[in-house]
Amino acid sequence: MPRQITAFSNPLVKQVRLLRDKRHRREQGRFLAEGLRILTEAREAGRLPEHLFFAADSAAHPLVTALVAATEAAGGEAIETSADILSKLSGKDNPGSVVGVYREFALPLDALDRAAAPIWLVAERLRDPGNLGTILRTGDAVGAGGLILVDDCVDPFSVEAVRASMGALFTMPVARAAWDDFRAWLRSGPGQLVGLSLDTEHDYQAPRYQAPTFLLTGNEAQGMPDHIAAECDLLVKIPMLGKADSLNAAVATAVMAYEVLNQGRRAET
Amino acid sequence: MPRQITAFSNPLVKQVRLLRDKRHRREQGRFLAEGLRILTEAREAGRLPEHLFFAADSAAHPLVTALVAATEAAGGEAIETSADILSKLSGKDNPGSVVGVYREFALPLDALDRAAAPIWLVAERLRDPGNLGTILRTGDAVGAGGLILVDDCVDPFSVEAVRASMGALFTMPVARAAWDDFRAWLRSGPGQLVGLSLDTEHDYQAPRYQAPTFLLTGNEAQGMPDHIAAECDLLVKIPMLGKADSLNAAVATAVMAYEVLNQGRRAET
């Protein structure tokens, strides 16, 4: 039987609110996700919250019922609360009917099985949480093996990244590594490192990519530094016909990832 | 000689701040853009602000000097101010060195020349300003003729949309129209209306698209309504290999737009 929390001053509410801040996520090793669609995606991937907050007036919704039952069966706590408190927890005016508190779960590189997928996504010093979440969502769509975050990227467990991922944070393996460690791991097995760059004449549709392809996207403003570009097996660019000199990082990653996927689809037929 | 404003209580500062709100943009017919890169892009496209706020310590930067000179030559006013006031105007902690106030300039459909480009982007009830700006940025990159916003889309002149467009708002024609008006205009000349849909078996790489191709992207959560899907000459879907059932709307638009562009590139060779 879920307990009820109706007071903003409740200590758990205060503690959970702090998870919108990176420092507190790090200290608590936990993060927030919100919305029935994302939490259901998480449940189907076997990820259940330690605390599940749900709106009293949504308790009868079958997906809420399923989340409450699964959370309690896994030893977590379901908490009935008000729309105001859900809004306070998520920082959104319109938070949806559920907010969950999850344990963080980023993987070490050695836990990744590069043979498991033909495409892997790699981001280097990515700054925007929306871009990170969108790249995860795209990674899921193209059947990528996972996302590897190199050097100082934005936190994949930020509320904005989780939201933009639309649940893919729970289904896509995410690893974090310093560049030197990533390079060592990459070169310990097969894999083609393909960097998206503005400083090359190689059109992204010209090469035949070799699985596993590791697609590297650099920092939004600066791209990747020279020593990382030098390590790439290929540097390719997406044609730009207009006035601007670059695409949004998540868009460029997606255009590139679909090229690799489409080459694989043609090879199959 | 630029005047100086250093007080938050200055009436112009107060009036400009209001432009972060849609209602006030509508009333004043003006909007805000910020950052040297975006304002320079605007200047190169012949768009100059009515008011240009710049940080005192950036006055010697050649791009700032050029903006000040061009603004004053066009009859606008350049105003030297503090970083604090720039931050207040833009709502960002780190606003960059310039903020401009521009007149809104959306076009009527009849002002669009469909023969001018092989690709046109159409968005229907798009809700997210970041998606709208990102779609503009992609449109610039693929050489699209413009973006047509159908029915109740998010405001393209919102601070977030302008920011995400990275200047493409100033270089890409933008028109707004009700669906019936868009349909009437579309059918008054050549053009293939291609809708991105989750409810079709037609792979997006199967058709040979015919210029001008009008790529229609529906609402982020709901896609397009049935009566609009029924009007499309083609409905196509992008393959989704993972758990999620859809891509981010700006990503899907870009993957699709590059397919049309790439078909055109192959046809040329």
Side-chain angles (χ1 to χ4, degrees):
Chain A
M1 180 63 194
R3 73 161 152 152
Q4 296 190 333
I5 294 182
T6 53
F8 285 101
S9 59
N10 180 284
L12 182 61
V13 168
K14 288 187 170 180
Q15 190 191 338
V16 170
R17 276 203 66 188
L18 292 175
L19 294 176
R20 284 158 54 193
D21 184 75
K22 181 175 178 177
R23 183 167 63 82
H24 289 282
R25 286 196 296 275
R26 206 64 2 112
E27 282 173 15
Q28 298 186 31
R30 286 166 178 78
F31 69 99
L32 281 178
E34 71 198 338
L36 201 46
R37 182 167 163 182
I38 291 178
L39 267 65
T40 297
E41 195 93 47
R43 174 173 65 77
E44 289 173 352
R47 303 265 183 204
L48 292 161
E50 296 188 340
H51 299 285
L52 171 73
F53 294 84
F54 64 97
D57 62 7
S58 71
H61 190 295
L63 288 176
V64 174
T65 311
L67 270 168
V68 169
T71 299
E72 291 182 335
E77 184 184 33
I79 298 155
E80 189 176 298
T81 190
S82 66
D84 282 353
I85 286 181
L86 285 173
S87 180
K88 186 137 184 165
L89 291 177
S90 75
K92 275 175 83 174
D93 290 342
N94 189 356
S97 51
V98 287
V99 169
V101 179
Y102 294 82
R103 262 190 192 282
E104 293 191 355
F105 48 73
L107 299 167
L109 287 172
D110 287 339
L112 302 178
D113 172 16
R114 72 179 75 199
I119 307 175
W120 293 79
L121 303 181
V122 186
E124 183 260 334
R125 291 179 307 136
L126 200 74
R127 285 286 173 216
D128 184 87
N131 282 344
L132 194 154
T134 302
I135 288 174
L136 279 168
R137 186 176 177 185
T138 299
D140 172 83
V142 298
L147 171 64
I148 300 164
L149 300 172
V150 168
D151 287 343
D152 190 23
C153 286
V154 66
D155 184 5
F157 298 104
S158 73
V159 173
E160 296 79 10
V162 176
R163 195 180 287 159
S165 86
M166 288 301 283
L169 176 72
F170 294 99
T171 58
M172 282 272 293
V174 176
R176 288 189 273 203
W179 165 251
D180 286 342
D181 296 331
F182 168 68
R183 186 181 52 177
W185 174 82
L186 176 73
R187 298 311 183 195
S188 71
Q192 185 180 39
L193 184 62
V194 179
L196 273 168
S197 172
L198 305 173
D199 299 323
T200 176
E201 293 306 308
H202 289 110
D203 191 282
Y204 81 117
Q205 291 204 300
R208 295 305 93 179
Y209 298 105
Q210 292 153 27
T213 311
F214 291 83
L215 286 185
L216 176 57
T217 307
N219 173 269
E220 287 93 339
Q222 298 153 10
M224 67 190 77
D226 291 344
H227 70 282
I228 292 185
E231 181 69 26
C232 289
D233 301 305
L234 279 176
L235 290 175
V236 295
K237 72 165 181 184
I238 296 170
M240 307 278 305
L241 276 55
K243 305 272 195 309
D245 59 2
S246 68
L247 290 163
N248 165 277
V251 161
T253 303
V255 169
M256 187 65 211
Y258 268 95
E259 174 61 22
V260 179
L261 173 63
N262 288 333
Q263 289 191 9
R265 298 200 297 158
R266 283 196 293 275
E268 283 170 12
T269 57
Chain B
M1 179 67 192
R3 73 162 153 154
Q4 297 190 334
I5 293 182
T6 53
F8 285 101
S9 59
N10 179 284
L12 183 61
V13 169
K14 288 187 170 179
Q15 190 191 339
V16 170
R17 276 203 67 188
L18 293 175
L19 294 177
R20 286 157 55 195
D21 185 74
K22 181 174 177 178
R23 183 167 62 84
H24 289 281
R25 286 196 297 276
R26 206 64 2 111
E27 282 173 16
Q28 298 186 31
R30 286 165 178 77
F31 70 100
L32 281 179
E34 69 199 339
L36 201 46
R37 181 167 164 184
I38 291 178
L39 267 64
T40 296
E41 195 92 50
R43 174 173 65 77
E44 290 173 351
R47 302 265 183 203
L48 291 162
E50 295 189 339
H51 299 286
L52 171 72
F53 294 83
F54 64 98
D57 62 6
S58 72
H61 190 296
L63 288 177
V64 173
T65 311
L67 270 168
V68 168
T71 299
E72 291 182 336
E77 183 184 32
I79 298 155
E80 188 177 298
T81 190
S82 66
D84 281 354
I85 287 181
L86 285 173
S87 181
K88 185 138 183 164
L89 291 177
S90 76
K92 275 175 85 176
D93 290 342
N94 189 355
S97 51
V98 286
V99 169
V101 178
Y102 295 82
R103 262 192 192 279
E104 293 192 354
F105 48 76
L107 299 168
L109 287 172
D110 287 339
L112 303 179
D113 172 16
R114 71 180 75 200
I119 306 175
W120 293 79
L121 303 181
V122 186
E124 183 260 334
R125 290 179 307 136
L126 200 73
R127 285 287 172 214
D128 184 87
N131 282 343
L132 194 154
T134 302
I135 287 174
L136 278 168
R137 188 176 176 185
T138 299
D140 173 82
V142 299
L147 171 64
I148 300 163
L149 300 171
V150 168
D151 287 345
D152 189 23
C153 287
V154 67
D155 185 5
F157 298 105
S158 73
V159 174
E160 297 78 12
V162 176
R163 194 181 287 158
S165 86
M166 288 300 282
L169 177 70
F170 293 100
T171 58
M172 283 272 293
V174 176
R176 290 189 272 204
W179 165 252
D180 285 343
D181 295 331
F182 169 69
R183 185 182 52 178
W185 174 81
L186 176 72
R187 297 312 183 194
S188 71
Q192 185 181 39
L193 184 62
V194 179
L196 273 167
S197 172
L198 305 173
D199 299 324
T200 176
E201 293 307 308
H202 290 110
D203 191 282
Y204 81 117
Q205 291 204 301
R208 296 305 94 180
Y209 297 106
Q210 294 154 24
T213 311
F214 291 83
L215 286 184
L216 176 58
T217 306
N219 173 270
E220 286 93 340
Q222 298 154 10
M224 67 190 76
D226 291 344
H227 70 281
I228 292 184
E231 181 69 26
C232 289
D233 300 304
L234 279 175
L235 290 175
V236 295
K237 70 165 183 186
I238 296 170
M240 306 279 306
L241 275 57
K243 304 273 195 309
D245 59 1
S246 68
L247 290 164
N248 165 276
V251 161
T253 302
V255 169
M256 187 65 212
Y258 268 94
E259 173 62 21
V260 178
L261 173 64
N262 289 332
Q263 289 191 10
R265 298 201 296 158
R266 281 197 294 276
E268 282 169 14
T269 59

